Amino acid sequence: MNDQESSAPIAMASMDDTARADLAIVVLGIADDCMLQGHRDSEWTGLGPILEEDIAFSSMAQDELGHALVWYNLLAGLGETRSPDLLAFTRDAGDWRNAQIVALPRGEYPFSLMRRHLHDLAKAVLYDGLIACGVAEVAVAATKLRQEKKYHLIHNRAYIERLARSETGRGPIQAALDELFPFALGLFEKQDAHDRLAAAGFIPSQALLRERWLDVTCSSLAAAGLRPPAHRAEEAWIPDVDPRVGGRSGRHVPEQVALLEAMQGMFRSDPEATW
Amino acid sequence: MRGSGLLDEAVVMQALEAVKDPEIPVVSVVELGIVQAVQVDSASGAVVVSITPTFSGCPALDLMRTAIESCVLDLGASAVRVEVVLDPPWTSDRIAPEARARMQAIGLAPPPPVGRFRTDISLTLEPLLASEDPVPCPYCGSSQTVMENGFGPTICRSAHYCNGCLQSFEAFKAL
Ligand SMILES: [Zn+2]
């Protein structure tokens, strides 16, 4: 990475075939994360605990679908022949590369809020890293999407702090954190394609991204009065729980099947339809 | 119909002033700053318009794209292609001054300069917004306002409350 920072990023078309194939794998994972996060948040439309949150989750869902589209579109430059619609609406669970966290059922409001927070911070850290990365198109996309994350981060933090400070909210938001933390660590699941790209200096390593995410996440949660399932050792936060992995190789929580049926049913009933 | 021989970038740009943002009908796509470039092939009369989304999930983008296509064809272009680009990314600082005044007139607070917002926020515990810089109220001009929610009725708007005139208002988000 350090070598790359001083030199200009290269276009995807100039990468060799192996690197392009690896990048397609990594980008698909990012796109799938956004798509399913967006779908789960859209389930709050009409059901939010208060009108403002109904609107906020619907807006963030819309943002995520926009982000998924940006990444799916990028894949076209990496040899993907399927359109974004086909990628989103015709793949079975085993072909998805999302981390498991985004497919978990929406649960109660504190659960959905904490999932957003953990995932938004992970994507913010990732995009911060990709803005300076060695692939021009990826850097452009990350720059655009990182700007939009700002409003998610403001939102999540305001509501998490509100819950953490209240007598009735603290228990549920802490429980959500405990339940979600292993899944959030799964966003940094080891991926050979990612490792090779990082070794070649194209993108930051998973280890570095995870370390940054742990730092910002655990510090901010602790400042809000919550107990992240991790401890501080010298400068770094070390998780006290094992990550829930498998998503990046197509192993998902059972609920992902029902999620995909709900999300894809309409499209699959008539893939040629125009709207 | 005008002949395509008259077409040049300035003519197309001028005509696009008639294409409005469907969510803010007092502002054109040009004033909004989403038209990144116009290229006219003088030999063939074909036009390429590059646009960039405000927010990447903006549902109005497709509508604007279609409206831009018809607008350019009505000018006499032999063919038109509207391409969506992300570089450089759109920023609310691009919104034209006249458009800001018209937003204000319909009760939509224009976005404050982006420079007032922290952009490098994820790795700090600092306040995410510079709270000493509230969005002025579009009704009474008071600066005694608070952002109640970063999300309003569309993804490009936030919800605010004015302690001066005790009214809620919306603002176009700074991005
Ligand atoms: Zn006022």
Side-chain angles (χ1 to χ4, degrees):
Chain A
M1 193 62 204
N2 289 334
D3 293 346
Q4 282 292 326
E5 275 168 357
S6 52
S7 57
I10 65 168
M12 294 191 305
S14 311
M15 298 169 73
D16 69 45
D17 288 349
T18 316
R20 282 158 53 85
D22 283 343
L23 186 58
I25 291 170
V26 170
V27 169
L28 183 63
I30 300 171
D32 286 353
D33 284 349
C34 299
M35 185 73 202
L36 298 192
Q37 175 77 52
H39 182 80
R40 279 303 189 206
D41 286 339
S42 76
E43 294 176 344
W44 283 103
T45 304
L47 299 176
I50 52 173
L51 179 62
E52 285 79 1
E53 281 306 277
D54 197 314
I55 292 170
F57 270 80
S58 304
S59 290
M60 290 189 284
Q62 216 172 337
D63 282 340
E64 291 297 340
L65 300 189
H67 295 195
L69 185 60
V70 166
W71 293 119
Y72 286 136
N73 275 328
L74 201 84
L75 289 174
L78 294 168
E80 176 59 62
T81 55
R82 288 167 291 182
S83 69
D85 272 357
L86 287 176
L87 285 167
F89 299 125
T90 64
R91 280 178 302 148
D92 293 329
D95 294 330
W96 283 72
R97 291 296 176 267
N98 56 283
Q100 293 185 355
I101 187 171
V102 292
L104 294 170
R106 71 172 188 273
E108 299 291 332
Y109 170 75
F111 185 85
S112 273
L113 175 64
M114 183 56 78
R115 167 166 51 193
R116 274 238 63 99
H117 184 61
L118 298 173
H119 187 199
D120 275 328
L121 284 173
K123 284 292 179 283
V125 165
L126 172 68
Y127 296 164
D128 277 344
L130 294 181
I131 286 169
C133 85
V135 187
E137 293 91 336
V138 172
V140 165
T143 304
K144 174 71 184 161
L145 306 186
R146 179 62 181 84
Q147 286 182 327
E148 298 177 13
K149 280 292 173 199
K150 175 173 72 184
Y151 287 94
H152 296 200
L153 300 177
I154 294 169
H155 163 271
N156 302 340
R157 189 161 136 181
Y159 280 88
I160 282 176
E161 287 181 353
R162 213 169 290 185
L163 287 179
R165 274 199 304 266
S166 83
E167 209 53 39
T168 48
R170 192 176 311 123
I173 197 71
Q174 178 67 51
L177 170 58
D178 293 339
E179 191 176 346
L180 281 160
F181 203 77
F183 287 98
L185 290 168
L187 286 159
F188 303 93
E189 177 174 349
K190 183 176 160 49
Q191 214 179 4
D192 292 340
H194 192 127
D195 292 347
R196 283 190 294 268
L197 289 170
F202 284 117
I203 60 177
S205 73
Q206 288 284 61
L208 179 65
L209 294 171
R210 186 173 182 268
E211 183 186 320
R212 287 182 181 167
W213 176 82
L214 277 166
D215 182 34
V216 63
T217 304
C218 296
S219 305
S220 62
L221 290 169
L226 297 171
R227 285 170 280 103
H231 62 275
R232 238 173 139 59
E234 304 190 1
E235 289 305 292
W237 286 87
I238 313 293
D240 297 329
V241 292
D242 289 332
R244 289 288 295 257
V245 295
R248 301 282 184 230
S249 54
R251 283 181 293 116
H252 297 293
V253 295
E255 292 89 345
Q256 183 153 340
V257 173
L259 181 162
L260 292 177
E261 274 170 16
M263 192 178 86
Q264 300 176 331
M266 178 75 85
F267 185 92
R268 288 199 187 208
S269 69
D270 185 0
E272 303 300 317
T274 54
W275 302 88
Chain B
M1 191 173 93
R2 278 165 277 181
S4 60
L6 296 173
L7 273 188
D8 63 25
E9 287 165 25
V11 169
V12 173
M13 216 46 145
Q14 177 69 37
L16 290 177
E17 290 284 0
V19 180
K20 308 298 183 190
D21 175 347
E23 290 178 348
I24 313 170
V26 297
V27 176
S28 78
V29 292
V30 177
E31 293 171 321
L32 193 57
I34 69 161
V35 179
Q36 205 96 300
V38 171
Q39 290 167 281
V40 179
D41 183 324
S42 49
S44 68
V47 175
V48 179
V49 181
S50 307
I51 62 172
T52 194
T54 52
F55 284 73
S56 56
C58 176
L61 192 68
D62 271 345
L63 288 171
M64 291 192 268
R65 176 185 206 148
T66 314
I68 289 170
E69 281 169 1
S70 344
C71 172
V72 175
L73 288 176
D74 284 350
L75 277 181
S78 62
V80 60
R81 185 159 59 83
V82 178
E83 59 173 25
V84 178
V85 297
L86 296 176
D87 188 26
W90 183 83
T91 151
S92 50
D93 286 348
R94 284 197 202 166
I95 299 174
E98 318 83 76
R100 289 168 183 267
R102 268 179 263 124
M103 280 184 185
Q104 182 111 11
I106 61 164
L108 177 64
V114 173
R116 287 192 192 176
F117 285 75
R118 301 177 59 91
T119 51
D120 170 32
I121 50 179
S122 75
L123 303 179
T124 80
L125 297 174
E126 298 300 308
L128 298 171
L129 283 175
S131 53
E132 64 273 23
D133 282 335
V135 179
C137 171
Y139 302 118
C140 72
S142 169
S143 291
Q144 303 298 310
T145 69
V146 287
M147 182 168 85
E148 296 203 304
N149 200 313
F151 299 96
T154 68
I155 56 172
C156 58
R157 301 188 193 191
S158 47
H160 301 251
Y161 186 76
C162 174
N163 287 310
C165 64
L166 308 183
Q167 294 188 79
S168 298
F169 66 92
E170 291 167 13
F172 199 106
K173 288 182 194 173
L175 188 71

